[in-house]
Amino acid sequence: MRAAPKAMADAIRVLAMDAVEQANSGHPGMPMGMADVATVLWTKFLKYDPKKPDWADRDRFVLSAGHGSMLLYSLLHLTGFKAMTMDELRRFRQLGSLTPGHPEYGHTPGVETTTGPLGQGLATAVGMAIAERHLNARFGDDLVGHRTWVIASDGDLMEGISHEAISLAGRLKLSRLAVLWDDNGITIDGDLSLSETGDQLARFKAAGWAVKRVDGHDHGKLASAMRWATRQDRPTLIACRTKIGKGLATLEGSHDSHGKAAGAAEVAATRAKLGWTAPPFVMPDDIAEAWLAAGRRAARPRRKWDQRLKASDRRAEFLAALKGELPAAAAKALEEHIARMVQDRPADATRAHSGAALSAIVPYAESMIGGSADLTGSNNTRVKAMTVLDAPDYAGRYVNYGVREHAMAAAMNGMALHGGVIPYAGTFLIFSDYSRPAIRLAALMGLRVIHVLTHDSIGLGEDGPTHQPVEHLAALRAMPNLNVFRPADAVETAECWALALQSQRTPSAMALSRQKTPALRTEPAKENLCAHGAYELSPASAKAQVSLFATGTEVAIALNAQALLEAGGVPTRVVSVPCWALFEAQSAAYQRRVIGSAPVRVAVEAGVRMGWDRFIGEDGAFVGIPGFGASAPAEQLYQHFGITAEAIVEAAKAKL
Ligand SMILES: Cc1ncc(C[n+]2csc(CCOP(=O)(O)OP(=O)(O)O)c2C)c(N)n1
Ligand SMILES: [Mg+2]
């Protein structure tokens, strides 16, 4: 006997309820409420292959409401993702299981992105949809043609990032993006009306989406709505009217079903109500088989796709793009650029050096997709070879993200997750605060996403303290698995770009200056010196009495201080520290050598001291900024805040 769709949806309900019960922790309400929507999507529309979770042309499914993780884990188990055994469901939320509290990318096969912070999944999905359209334009329908489906909750849509994400998606007419909103009118504190009276459909419509509302428990109507979504020329929102905890004996529709175990009595009563007689973590054969059959059906398009790929004359190029390695020609172009910079010794802002490095690489690295949050001219992120990525021809490689830093950062995560493209984009360093939650997810997921963060200090001048980062380097450096680069000249900037592009499992933040700074690396090097994170740029004339540590534009100031100290008979060395995280990855012996044994250590950075004691010790001297900046020309500010060669000399001498 074939299992009915309702029974298939109930299978999700019961698994979610039982797993949360077993863990005595988790969120049964959302998976139970959205079980019907998910059943229709995963049995009739979603293109995926449980046997090959990373098949390139699969549809992307994003559970933006990550608290409903049991919905996704149940689907993965039921449709036949091998790793997701019943035992893993039984071990929901336990150490080392494939079923952590919220879905984690890279941890669980079939999980497309890490979700949990509400709104992130939705914005990430926008990036996936951008990548899909771009690669479709580059490689054609034969190789790339899939959809991105999102399940989002009230909370996802209340978050500010949702505004940025949906307006960007609407502007780009991302017709392959569909959002299934769990329109249950409930959040944790109770009725949605406690905190929301807005009209989501009107909001999405205003942003350029096609919208529809359906009964989220009516499989027929859901299927019609999803079919409708696949025929639109713009992104689509389907408001699925649901009851949270649908099926629960007494808690159905109540916010009490959002985030805790229902309790033994409720679970028993619910089993009775659903007519579900199987014990926990046992799936009746007919239902198990119906789900596995759905998984096999969903995978059918893959065999045809495999044949098309085999026959394609773009096969090698396509696979290389997916692999994400930089073409040899691009690496070579960057090396030649570095050699040129050593010769030419340009004195300019490091943001300009970054633009020059990009001009050298981008023509040879077709997978790189640039952009800026409305600061293109300031970030130097667009090179001549790039045309704009936009509807209807998505072949361009430059995204006008608009003033949407948060969605930009999340969209870049989506692009990197999608694969086939290498995203980078710019804003001011100060506004990394606006994109930080997405940067954190990139670090957690281990994604190659490159943030170009210009105007990196008081050196930006007259825009004043609202625009002058002081704590941002420290704050970003605190984040695990994020490489924060602050290069000092053209050569270091190009070296840092090389490192960022090579770091396939680590995002990068490039802190770049607005103001000019002289060329410092004027001798050819045998290797990428920035790869060590810190290195001795200029040795002392004799046994060093003073070690100066500096980053970015302050390295040149430290070199001037070194000249003054040396002239005064104090042997002094200068260490450039372009990337703390890479320095921490060096051997202990290398670290000791670079920190050195000079009795006096001084660090120079136009920011707060936090963290610098690692280099200079508690009794070291710090030349930087203890508080906020000020509005004035850059040179005056460096004088005003005492970040000068003379001040460094004084600080060193006071310790000698
Ligand atoms: C950025 C962020 N803030 C807060 C939370 C904690 N949180 C998890 S779910 C939720 C809201 C629940 O309402 P809804 O999104 O409608 O989900 P439902 O209860 O309907 O499943 C909150 C505040 C979070 N996960 N992310
Ligand atoms: Mg809700």
Side-chain angles (χ1 to χ4, degrees):
M1 196 184 74
R2 249 189 97 204
K6 171 172 180 305
M8 292 171 75
D10 282 346
I12 296 173
R13 294 193 165 94
V14 173
L15 284 174
M17 177 178 73
D18 288 343
V20 172
E21 205 60 24
Q22 168 104 348
N24 195 21
S25 149
H27 302 80
M30 188 276 188
M32 296 182 79
M34 284 298 274
D36 295 305
V37 174
T39 299
V40 174
L41 178 65
W42 282 64
T43 58
K44 287 189 155 60
F45 292 93
L46 198 71
K47 183 168 81 166
Y48 60 100
D49 186 352
K51 296 212 159 50
K52 205 161 186 311
D54 60 351
W55 165 37
D57 200 35
R58 70 192 181 281
D59 284 352
R60 302 305 195 267
F61 174 76
V62 174
L63 186 73
S64 192
H67 60 278
S69 58
M70 265 312 297
L71 178 70
L72 180 51
Y73 300 150
S74 303
L75 289 162
L76 294 176
H77 169 74
L78 290 166
T79 55
F81 285 72
K82 210 167 132 206
M84 190 55 77
T85 58
M86 191 63 98
D87 217 45
E88 295 293 345
L89 299 187
R90 212 185 306 243
R91 298 201 301 134
F92 181 47
R93 295 191 151 223
Q94 304 311 304
L95 191 64
S97 74
L98 288 182
T99 48
H102 293 81
E104 293 178 24
Y105 169 77
H107 182 81
T108 308
V111 170
E112 300 282 7
T113 181
T114 296
T115 49
L118 290 165
Q120 291 290 332
L122 173 60
T124 302
V126 171
M128 292 176 177
I130 293 173
E132 190 275 342
R133 283 294 81 190
H134 173 75
L135 291 171
N136 170 269
R138 183 174 166 193
F139 290 104
D141 292 333
D142 265 5
L143 298 184
V144 184
H146 52 267
R147 296 179 184 280
T148 304
W149 299 89
V150 182
I151 285 185
S153 65
D154 298 304
D156 282 305
L157 302 193
M158 290 168 98
E159 290 292 349
I161 193 175
S162 77
H163 172 76
E164 297 180 23
I166 69 172
S167 64
L168 180 61
R171 168 61 189 81
L172 290 175
K173 293 196 168 65
L174 299 173
S175 61
R176 299 288 183 117
L177 175 66
V179 172
L180 305 164
W181 166 32
D182 181 13
D183 180 15
N184 63 12
I186 291 282
T187 62
I188 293 177
D189 281 356
D191 226 69
L192 184 64
S193 63
L194 287 172
S195 56
E196 175 72 76
T197 50
D199 179 342
Q200 293 292 1
L201 265 56
R203 182 169 80 110
F204 275 77
K205 202 164 169 222
W209 290 53
V211 301
K212 203 182 233 342
R213 170 166 269 133
V214 294
D215 177 343
H217 301 302
D218 182 325
H219 289 217
K221 294 212 170 97
L222 283 166
S224 306
M226 290 180 205
R227 199 163 303 114
W228 163 86
T230 64
R231 292 183 186 139
Q232 303 306 306
D233 62 354
R234 58 196 68 191
T236 47
L237 171 76
I238 303 176
C240 308
R241 262 279 150 84
T242 61
K243 284 212 163 115
I244 191 167
K246 171 84 175 166
L248 283 169
T250 69
L251 293 177
E252 178 180 296
S254 160
H255 68 112
D256 286 333
S257 74
H258 162 88
K260 54 176 182 284
E266 179 81 1
V267 167
T270 300
R271 275 195 146 65
K273 179 176 160 187
L274 295 176
W276 193 273
T277 51
F281 307 109
V282 174
M283 197 47 54
D285 286 343
D286 58 333
I287 296 175
E289 183 41 46
W291 267 112
L292 290 172
R296 287 192 296 271
R297 266 199 317 277
R300 268 184 211 148
R302 188 172 80 79
R303 278 188 292 277
K304 285 208 177 115
W305 181 89
D306 278 342
Q307 287 161 8
R308 292 200 299 275
L309 178 65
K310 222 176 193 174
S312 171
D313 51 9
R314 307 287 300 281
R315 184 172 174 271
E317 194 192 339
F318 181 71
L319 294 177
L322 285 187
K323 217 164 164 208
E325 272 165 19
L326 212 56
K332 186 159 163 268
L334 194 52
E335 257 171 46
E336 286 167 2
H337 169 78
I338 290 174
R340 229 172 14 250
M341 293 299 102
V342 170
Q343 288 268 310
D344 295 355
R345 305 177 180 185
D348 212 331
T350 53
R351 64 173 169 148
H353 296 318
S354 170
L358 283 170
S359 296
I361 324 163
V362 160
Y364 300 97
E366 264 206 81
S367 296
M368 288 176 73
I369 296 197
S372 169
D374 200 42
L375 289 168
T376 296
S378 298
N379 300 146
N380 296 46
T381 37
R382 184 169 173 186
V383 309
K384 274 212 189 88
M386 286 176 147
T387 55
V388 172
L389 187 161
D390 197 359
D393 172 12
Y394 296 92
R397 291 207 275 147
Y398 196 77
V399 181
N400 289 311
Y401 286 102
V403 194
R404 301 183 182 102
E405 297 83 7
H406 199 178
M408 175 173 82
M412 286 203 287
N413 291 351
M415 293 181 190
L417 286 161
H418 182 282
V421 297
I422 303 172
Y424 74 90
T427 182
F428 291 158
L429 175 58
I430 193 93
F431 302 132
S432 63
D433 283 340
Y434 276 43
S435 36
R436 189 176 175 93
I439 298 177
R440 184 174 193 276
L441 281 179
L444 179 60
M445 290 190 272
L447 304 180
R448 174 175 46 188
V449 170
I450 304 170
H451 291 268
V452 177
L453 301 167
T454 68
H455 297 57
D456 69 350
S457 74
I458 54 163
L460 67 85
E462 295 86 341
D463 273 341
T466 56
H467 282 51
Q468 292 161 353
V470 284
E471 79 279 27
H472 297 72
L473 290 167
L476 288 169
R477 283 171 184 150
M479 199 182 287
N481 195 37
L482 174 69
N483 285 339
V484 181
F485 293 105
R486 191 164 187 251
D489 74 348
V491 173
E492 279 202 3
T493 303
E495 286 184 344
C496 292
W497 262 109
L499 294 165
L501 286 164
Q502 288 158 17
S503 303
Q504 290 223 35
R505 309 297 302 265
T506 303
S508 297
M510 300 273 212
L512 302 165
S513 76
R514 173 177 185 260
Q515 80 275 27
K516 285 189 181 177
T517 189
L520 311 176
R521 288 276 299 279
T522 52
E523 298 295 326
K526 284 199 191 64
E527 52 168 353
N528 183 329
L529 294 176
C530 290
H532 298 289
Y535 64 96
E536 189 175 87
L537 174 66
S538 177
S541 59
K543 190 168 164 35
Q545 290 300 297
V546 176
S547 285
L548 301 179
F549 301 87
T551 74
T553 42
E554 284 72 77
V555 179
I557 299 171
L559 286 167
N560 289 340
Q562 178 194 33
L564 292 175
L565 284 162
E566 287 275 359
V570 182
T572 301
R573 59 196 278 273
V574 174
V575 174
S576 180
V577 194
C579 181
W580 290 25
L582 290 180
F583 181 64
E584 293 304 338
Q586 305 302 303
S587 69
Y590 179 85
Q591 292 178 11
R592 267 199 305 277
R593 209 158 61 236
V594 168
I595 286 175
S597 54
V600 173
R601 288 182 271 167
V602 184
V604 193
E605 187 170 77
V608 299
R609 176 169 178 150
M610 183 179 274
W612 274 106
D613 290 14
R614 162 75 175 96
F615 290 86
I616 59 177
E618 253 176 58
D619 50 356
F622 182 72
V623 175
I625 305 184
F628 295 114
S631 169
E635 269 175 42
Q636 279 180 34
L637 288 175
Y638 272 80
Q639 293 292 332
H640 176 75
F641 287 104
I643 306 179
T644 62
E646 293 72 24
I648 297 168
V649 170
E650 225 173 89
K653 283 194 168 157
K655 299 270 180 191
L656 271 168

